[in-house]
Amino acid sequence: MSHCLGDGTMAMIDRMPDEVLALVSVLASYIAMTVAMGFLPALQATHPHSKNFTPMSTFPAPNDIIERLQEQVAIMADRIASLQKPKESDEQSEEGDLYKVTIDYTGDTVNEIKIKYFDTVSVASSLCILKSGFLFVASEFGNHHFYQFEKLGDDDDTPEYSSKDFMMTDGERLDTRNLLLVDELASMAPLTDAKRMDLTTSDAVRIYPQGIRHIRANKQVTEWRAPGGRQIVRAATNRQQVVIALTGGELVYFEVDDSGNLSEFHPLPKGRRRVRFLAVGCDDNTVRILSLESSSCLEPLSMQALSGVPESLVMIEIPNQLSEGSLTTLYLNIGLQNGVLLRTVLDQTSGQLSDTRTRFLGERGVKLFELNMAGNPAVLALSSRQWLSYQLQPRILESALQCLEGVVAIAGNELKIFTIEKFGQVFNETAVPLTYTPRRFVVNPVHKSIAIIETDHQTFSPSAKKKKLEKLGFKDEAEEDGLDPTVFGHTRSEPGKWASLVRILNPSTGETTFKLDLEHNEAAFSLAVLNFAVDAGELFLAVGTASDLTLAPKSLASGFIHIYKFVNDGLGPEFVHKTAVEDVPHALLHFQGRLLAGIGRILRIYDLGKRKLLRKCENRSIPTSIVTLHNQGGRIVVGDVQESVHYASYIASDNKIVVFADDKAPRWITCSAMIDYDTVAAGDKFGNFFVDRLPQKISQEIDEDEAGSKSVGKGYLHGAAHKVDLVAHYHVGDVLASLAKASFVAGGREMVLYTSFLGGVGVFIPFQTKEDIDFFQTLEMHMRNEMPPLAGRDHLSYRGYHVPVKGTVDGDICEQYNLLSGDKKRMIAEELDRTPAEIQKKIEDMRIRTV
């Protein structure tokens, strides 16, 4: 996760060009400029960025000093450490530097103020000092940190500045280590974009009691149902074969055919690689070996009597180290329910069993697991004791695994023992460090590589930073600052300066396969993967950028659309050309073999040319600025930064785009997703989620009107000819960063997945029956009364903070039913005409069926 500092609106403390390291002097200069603190700036300043100051004879009260210090200096957070004389306070600047401010006072009279550089942490929104000697830093963005005070900064050589003898000199940031990082609280803020993607390309077979579900890489699902009244009790699989055992003692054998389909047994084509034998453990204390050859499928070959009922079976093939060549021995390992482990040799020609070895592991049933050790197959046996069978002058060795609350797992060729320390974490995440703040990313649908654009404002680009360091006399970048930019941010530049790059990432390894830094003060804001109809065999990447962009007042030199072609199996792009545009291209989309671009308030279609993109048609009726684009067929849904969503239609016969519907209310759109042909879900910058739907009658009329005459009709409410209906509205409480229609379970219910700017992840689940709607609405009503919010705010007014909540039930408050006392649970259950267990099951089913 890359972290972005502010946009420069609190740039009172500036890192001056010739005083890059003199942070203490610069901060103290601005503190001294506060007239209310009793300092009068002298006119004989000898340095353009540091001044001499003469103290006055009177000071304001100590508490007023801290307040006015925050008003005059860009202080991000503070914490008063002691209320006794002298008063000490920790102040943090917008650069992350901590300063120790000591105020010596008598009554309401301040005698002296001292300031001293203490340490540097990430920029915080709040600081909390504990009496036990710890500091909690609530970071603005990124992970929160928990430090321990090693020193109080009293016995080091860091310069200290006093109001009694205030003479500014050029200083240097010292390598102080007063704080020790103890722990870190993970945070995904700022979360800028998210997509639900299946990055794997392999098939999956899921076996459940009623049948087999074969899920192809293309999301095609094939199911085999067990015969009526029977269930699957055991199963064995490999990459090509599946064997299941049904109640009643019947076996069913499947293979994957040439087309990738899982089907019941048929004659084996030449060259097929598969297992020749099937071992079956039976309730009559026997193990039977069956043939899987095409000419004698499932015919019995041999049988061995056992001293107990088989619990688990593992068949492994181990190289024979005592003989030359590639001879191997096939072993069948048998774990019994009485704690006995057997290992017997299985003849690879006849299927006969011989040379049985026995060992008692404990009173529990033996479970066997196959793994690799030193490149050879091995067997892990788990009972009251743990045993490992591997190839080393073949013998069974005991492995003592002592972990009272741990988990033993196999990952690849490694055996891992671990404990779960942080409960409640839903997702398994892997962090890939980036250079700047990631703005948008797309997934290559063919090669599954990820293209990312990273952009930071008021930040030096690599080339600009190198020139600045050379001008200041630094030989390399390491001399300028030793702070990690992923925690403390990059070196700040002036407003209107940007650092941006395009990155291609291999999600399987987390490796960056391509990285391109944008020069000439260009910043990337949008990207899309597409293929052009004129070159349908190739996959392209479009990146929208702007050069010399100033945010307030807005101005730019030019906007651009870069076109790259994916090469090297999608791991690297090849530059094709670059097209200049009038404004910032905030949204790009593949549209019918062309590129649909939102350039400021212009909606335009481009086609691929040899030297640049070719303009085909455009529409200039969008009110402010296009930030999101979606389409199904010829219908286009446009998200405007201030004026909500607009529905447009592309009329191919006339080669024109017509906007025919929009929203009744203005909304500041941050993200959107097309739910179906007529419905769109979106989020605004005030933390609201809403769903708009085009009336079905109007939708049919627009589709039937090939000339577009009904689309252009008379405008309504200073907008389009038609209006969409609001069908749902809900206040999430955080700015929504992304929305996507997704399903977490193959063949499961689709839902709307959302992520928020501060790192939240949630789903909106559609109800399928009127009974579910009535149940959860009633439960929500009771929970509002029995479990009011901790902050005291009314729940209904909060969820309808800007617009009354509509068509949505708060699942979070419904799930708090499990936290109620037994009496309250029973009271609510009686109102719902159910038992508490039925209510808990209903809530749990709603979550499990979708997530």
Side-chain angles (χ1 to χ4, degrees):
M1 181 71 70
S2 176
H3 310 294
C4 175
L5 297 177
D7 60 358
T9 56
M10 298 183 67
M12 185 169 291
I13 300 178
D14 198 0
R15 191 177 294 190
M16 309 309 294
D18 52 352
E19 290 187 22
V20 177
L21 301 180
L23 292 179
V24 177
S25 299
V26 176
L27 178 68
S29 299
Y30 282 105
I31 293 176
M33 289 174 62
T34 309
V35 177
M37 291 179 60
F39 290 102
L40 180 65
L43 300 178
Q44 64 272 20
T46 58
H47 195 279
H49 304 304
S50 64
K51 304 178 183 296
N52 300 324
F53 296 91
T54 304
M56 296 178 66
S57 57
T58 60
F59 293 88
N63 292 329
D64 293 338
I65 293 179
I66 299 298
E67 294 175 2
R68 297 178 187 180
L69 177 68
Q70 292 177 317
E71 293 173 2
Q72 202 67 24
V73 185
I75 297 298
M76 308 302 292
D78 76 281
R79 177 56 55 193
I80 299 176
S82 174
L83 297 178
Q84 303 196 1
K85 183 182 177 180
K87 178 177 287 188
E88 294 182 354
S89 173
D90 284 345
E91 309 289 341
Q92 187 191 46
S93 72
E94 64 173 354
E95 299 287 351
D97 296 330
L98 289 175
Y99 297 90
K100 181 180 178 182
V101 179
T102 305
I103 304 174
D104 183 15
Y105 66 97
T106 303
D108 289 337
T109 303
V110 175
N111 303 321
E112 185 182 15
I113 300 176
K114 296 180 181 179
I115 182 171
K116 186 177 183 180
Y117 172 75
F118 189 75
D119 213 321
T120 299
V121 297
S122 58
V123 178
S125 59
S126 181
L127 300 173
C128 179
I129 298 178
L130 306 181
K131 293 182 179 180
S132 55
F134 292 92
L135 170 68
F136 178 73
V137 179
S139 301
E140 275 194 333
F141 297 124
N143 295 347
H144 310 295
H145 300 90
F146 192 59
Y147 294 93
Q148 181 179 12
F149 286 96
E150 287 193 318
K151 298 180 294 182
L152 296 180
D154 297 328
D155 53 351
D156 53 31
D157 297 330
T158 306
E160 184 176 57
Y161 299 91
S162 172
S163 59
K164 291 185 177 180
D165 187 15
F166 204 89
M167 184 65 107
M168 298 306 305
T169 58
D170 291 343
E172 293 184 357
R173 176 184 288 176
L174 301 179
D175 188 19
T176 59
R177 290 294 181 267
N178 295 320
L179 297 175
L180 174 65
L181 182 62
V182 176
D183 198 5
E184 195 171 2
L185 181 61
S187 172
M188 290 194 293
L191 199 159
T192 56
D193 194 11
K195 291 178 176 60
R196 192 272 177 190
M197 292 289 180
D198 185 2
L199 299 177
T200 62
T201 58
S202 59
D203 296 359
V205 175
R206 295 179 180 175
I207 301 175
Y208 56 100
Q210 287 74 33
I212 300 175
R213 180 176 295 166
H214 182 207
I215 305 171
R216 304 288 299 276
N218 58 4
K219 297 185 179 180
Q220 179 182 353
V221 179
T222 304
E223 289 201 35
W224 179 89
R225 294 284 184 175
R230 297 188 180 184
Q231 289 189 344
I232 299 175
V233 294
R234 290 289 186 274
T237 65
N238 58 26
R239 291 182 179 273
Q240 297 289 331
Q241 300 164 285
V242 177
V243 178
I244 59 173
L246 302 177
T247 53
E250 183 178 348
L251 297 177
V252 183
Y253 174 49
F254 298 85
E255 284 186 355
V256 178
D257 58 24
D258 293 335
S259 61
N261 296 320
L262 189 68
S263 57
E264 294 189 54
F265 171 76
H266 56 82
L268 180 68
K270 293 183 179 180
R272 174 68 59 82
R273 181 178 178 87
R274 62 174 183 174
V275 176
R276 297 179 58 192
F277 303 109
L278 170 67
V280 181
C282 302
D283 289 339
D284 58 356
N285 295 356
T286 61
V287 166
R288 304 172 189 265
I289 304 300
L290 307 180
S291 172
L292 294 181
E293 292 289 349
S294 57
S295 59
S296 57
C297 185
L298 298 183
E299 289 187 4
L301 299 177
S302 62
M303 181 186 69
Q304 179 170 332
L306 306 173
S307 61
V309 178
E311 174 72 20
S312 59
L313 303 173
V314 168
M315 193 184 303
I316 61 172
E317 194 173 13
I318 296 180
N320 191 349
Q321 297 181 350
L322 302 180
S323 62
E324 298 180 356
S326 58
L327 297 178
T328 59
T329 302
L330 189 60
Y331 291 95
L332 175 63
N333 295 267
I334 308 169
L336 305 183
Q337 291 183 0
N338 57 14
V340 175
L341 172 66
L342 297 91
R343 187 188 65 179
T344 183
V345 177
L346 177 60
D347 189 278
Q348 300 189 49
T349 303
S350 63
Q352 297 298 313
L353 297 172
S354 62
D355 191 16
T356 301
R357 312 282 181 93
T358 304
R359 184 177 294 271
F360 179 71
L361 301 187
E363 65 276 7
R364 297 179 182 177
V366 179
K367 294 187 178 294
L368 303 177
F369 302 91
E370 184 179 356
L371 66 154
N372 288 321
M373 297 293 293
N376 293 322
V379 175
L380 176 66
L382 301 180
S383 180
S384 300
R385 292 178 293 174
Q386 296 77 39
W387 291 75
L388 183 67
S389 174
Y390 62 96
Q391 177 70 15
L392 182 62
Q393 300 176 352
R395 56 180 179 177
I396 298 178
L397 301 177
E398 182 178 1
S399 175
L401 303 177
Q402 300 295 332
C403 189
L404 298 180
E405 296 183 356
V407 179
V408 181
I410 303 169
N413 297 332
E414 298 179 352
L415 176 66
K416 297 186 176 181
I417 306 171
F418 59 92
T419 59
I420 301 176
E421 297 180 354
K422 297 181 179 179
F423 294 93
Q425 291 188 348
V426 180
F427 297 102
N428 177 24
E429 61 184 47
T430 301
V432 178
L434 303 177
T435 306
Y436 309 116
T437 303
R439 301 292 178 167
R440 290 286 183 267
F441 73 91
V442 292
V443 179
N444 186 320
V446 177
H447 306 101
K448 301 299 182 181
S449 57
I450 299 177
I452 309 171
I453 55 172
E454 306 169 30
T455 302
D456 273 346
H457 179 234
Q458 203 173 342
T459 303
F460 284 104
S461 65
S463 58
K465 186 174 183 179
K466 184 177 180 181
K467 293 179 181 178
K468 180 65 68 173
L469 291 176
E470 291 177 353
K471 182 179 179 181
L472 295 175
F474 295 102
K475 295 181 180 180
D476 54 44
E477 187 174 328
E479 295 184 15
E480 183 266 340
D481 206 337
L483 300 177
D484 184 4
T486 61
V487 177
F488 303 100
H490 291 274
T491 304
R492 301 291 298 275
S493 182
E494 59 192 53
K497 297 299 181 182
W498 300 82
S500 184
L501 61 84
V502 180
R503 183 191 303 266
I504 304 295
L505 190 71
N506 184 348
S508 301
T509 62
E511 175 188 3
T512 297
T513 59
F514 175 84
K515 187 172 75 170
L516 174 65
D517 287 289
L518 300 180
E519 300 295 339
H520 310 297
N521 200 25
E522 273 192 76
F525 294 97
S526 60
L527 79 168
V529 175
L530 69 158
N531 60 331
F532 291 97
V534 296
D535 195 358
E538 300 291 343
L539 206 59
F540 295 87
L541 176 67
V543 180
T545 67
S547 177
D548 296 331
L549 175 65
T550 302
L551 298 179
K554 182 181 178 181
S555 65
L556 74 158
S558 178
F560 297 97
I561 299 179
H562 301 242
I563 300 296
Y564 301 89
K565 182 169 64 176
F566 280 103
V567 295
N568 299 329
D569 294 331
L571 298 180
E574 178 185 289
F575 179 74
V576 179
H577 52 60
K578 175 178 174 182
T579 305
V581 294
E582 302 94 319
D583 208 333
V584 182
H586 281 294
L588 301 174
L589 180 69
H590 172 255
F591 179 76
Q592 299 182 358
R594 296 177 177 179
L595 175 64
L596 181 65
I599 305 166
R601 56 187 297 270
I602 304 172
L603 183 62
R604 182 177 294 163
I605 295 179
Y606 285 101
D607 207 345
L608 183 66
K610 293 184 177 180
R611 295 176 179 252
K612 64 177 183 178
L613 292 173
L614 305 178
R615 186 184 308 182
K616 294 300 180 181
C617 68
E618 67 180 32
N619 183 289
R620 293 176 176 263
S621 62
I622 305 300
T624 311
S625 179
I626 300 171
V627 291
T628 63
L629 287 173
H630 306 281
N631 85 292
Q632 285 189 19
R635 178 164 297 178
I636 304 169
V637 175
V638 182
D640 185 87
V641 70
Q642 292 183 6
E643 298 295 335
S644 192
V645 295
H646 299 254
Y647 282 67
S649 180
Y650 174 67
I651 303 175
S653 58
D654 298 334
N655 190 29
K656 65 180 181 180
I657 301 174
V658 178
V659 177
F660 62 86
D662 58 11
D663 201 350
K664 302 182 183 73
R667 306 179 193 275
W668 294 66
I669 299 296
T670 58
C671 59
S672 62
M674 206 166 177
I675 305 302
D676 56 39
Y677 191 64
D678 297 325
T679 311
V680 61
D684 63 25
K685 75 172 188 177
F686 301 107
N688 297 310
F689 168 84
F690 64 94
V691 178
D692 283 340
R693 177 171 293 159
L694 185 69
Q696 188 174 4
K697 181 180 179 180
I698 296 176
S699 178
Q700 292 177 352
E701 291 178 355
I702 297 299
D703 289 341
E704 295 170 358
D705 182 22
E706 298 181 355
S709 58
K710 295 183 179 180
S711 304
V712 184
K714 184 178 179 182
Y716 178 66
L717 295 178
H718 303 285
H722 307 285
K723 299 297 176 182
V724 296
D725 295 331
L726 179 67
V727 297
H729 195 283
Y730 183 81
H731 181 65
V732 177
D734 189 10
V735 180
L736 297 185
S738 69
L739 286 170
K741 181 182 176 182
S743 173
F744 284 96
V745 181
R749 188 187 306 180
E750 288 186 323
M751 68 201 78
V752 178
L753 171 70
Y754 76 86
T755 60
S756 63
F757 185 74
L758 294 181
V761 180
V763 293
F764 288 96
I765 305 171
F767 288 113
Q768 293 184 323
T769 64
K770 184 68 166 59
E771 178 188 356
D772 288 344
I773 297 176
D774 294 339
F775 171 81
F776 281 100
Q777 282 182 339
T778 307
L779 178 61
E780 181 190 33
M781 179 187 66
H782 287 289
M783 291 304 300
R784 288 197 193 108
N785 300 325
E786 303 299 335
M787 187 71 76
L790 294 177
R793 176 179 290 178
D794 180 71
H795 173 266
L796 190 60
S797 63
Y798 172 70
R799 291 306 184 189
Y801 192 81
H802 296 93
V803 176
V805 62
K806 180 179 181 181
T808 311
V809 176
D810 188 354
D812 290 334
I813 196 171
C814 290
E815 286 193 326
Q816 293 186 22
Y817 176 82
N818 298 322
L819 304 178
L820 295 176
S821 63
D823 294 338
K824 291 185 177 180
K825 286 182 180 179
R826 286 188 291 271
M827 181 190 69
I828 296 177
E830 290 176 358
E831 294 290 336
L832 295 173
D833 196 20
R834 296 173 184 259
T835 65
E838 290 175 343
I839 295 178
Q840 291 174 325
K841 184 177 183 299
K842 189 80 172 178
I843 296 172
E844 185 179 357
D845 287 346
M846 180 61 68
R847 174 180 288 272
I848 292 177
R849 289 175 185 175
T850 54
V851 182

